[in-house]
Amino acid sequence: MDRSERGMVTVELAFAALLLAVSLAFAIMVGGAAFVLGQCQVVANEVARQAARGDAAGIARATADAPAGAVVERRIEGGAVVVEVTWRFVVGDTSWPLVARAQVLEET
């Protein structure tokens, strides 16, 4: 081994460790976003069911379960209650909206 090549394995190992750490951090962020989107879907389903029944207290309880920063929107479309729960996935200066939607026919 030439003296000029000494330490190359250390540098390569450092770059590999850095790449692994960045990949792991990205995977954790995406997994967290998927978990929050699942929470948003559960809230959208529950709010839609309670709104279809006309249960104002149930709507309030279900809306309170929304993740922090989520926006719950409710509307009536053609005899059905439509609920959208939107949460913004933020990475640095960039953000993406994650939207969960539920639709339930109104009960009479």
Side-chain angles (χ1 to χ4, degrees):
M1 181 187 293
D2 188 344
R3 284 185 71 78
S4 64
E5 294 179 4
R6 267 181 104 180
M8 285 299 291
V9 171
T10 305
V11 171
E12 291 167 354
L13 187 60
F15 279 124
L18 180 63
L19 180 63
L20 181 64
V22 168
S23 299
L24 183 61
F26 181 74
I28 289 171
M29 281 190 331
V30 170
F35 179 77
V36 172
L37 182 58
Q39 285 181 311
C40 290
Q41 187 62 58
V42 168
V43 168
N45 292 340
E46 186 63 21
V47 169
R49 275 192 302 246
Q50 298 302 333
R53 292 181 187 145
D55 183 2
I59 293 169
R61 281 191 308 271
T63 302
D65 290 339
V71 176
V72 179
E73 296 176 344
R74 189 170 31 113
R75 64 184 179 276
I76 304 294
E77 287 182 2
V81 176
V82 178
V83 177
E84 288 185 352
V85 180
T86 305
W87 182 76
R88 298 207 64 86
F89 177 57
V90 179
V91 177
D93 293 337
T94 308
S95 68
W96 295 273
L98 299 179
V99 180
R101 185 174 192 267
Q103 182 173 346
V104 176
L105 293 175
E106 286 185 296
E107 294 180 12
T108 52

